[in-house]
Amino acid sequence: MTIAQTLAKPIRALGGTWDTQRAVTALRDAGHGHGDQRQQEKRARRALRDLAAANVITKTALDSATYRLAIPATDEP
């Protein structure tokens, strides 16, 4: 399982907004807390960007690294 897949689980379960610090905490709780704080933050930001690229989450503002769960597209008008 990738770091992004690991992070996707709590994001889907908890919802709300997600920033680097919240992602670091979730990844640390899932056993991915190795390395210093800077390494953990880099890992979390990469996972957030990967999830955004996969349309799992979306940025809440263009100038911040804050995300929320993406609203799935529906076939209904």
Side-chain angles (χ1 to χ4, degrees):
M1 183 177 298
T2 68
I3 300 293
Q5 291 169 328
T6 299
L7 184 57
K9 287 183 178 187
I11 289 175
R12 286 186 174 117
L14 301 173
T17 58
W18 287 79
D19 61 7
T20 302
Q21 287 309 115
R22 189 172 183 196
V24 165
T25 301
L27 288 171
R28 189 178 302 135
D29 291 348
H32 295 282
H34 54 280
D36 64 18
Q37 185 67 24
R38 185 174 181 202
Q39 291 171 323
Q40 292 178 38
E41 289 172 357
K42 286 177 74 172
R43 188 178 312 112
R45 284 191 299 272
R46 175 81 251 167
L48 289 167
R49 286 191 300 270
D50 289 349
L51 290 173
N55 296 317
V56 174
I57 57 177
T58 186
K59 275 190 143 190
T60 59
L62 294 176
D63 62 343
S64 77
T66 305
Y67 300 85
R68 64 174 168 74
L69 192 60
I71 299 171
T74 63
D75 293 335
E76 297 177 24

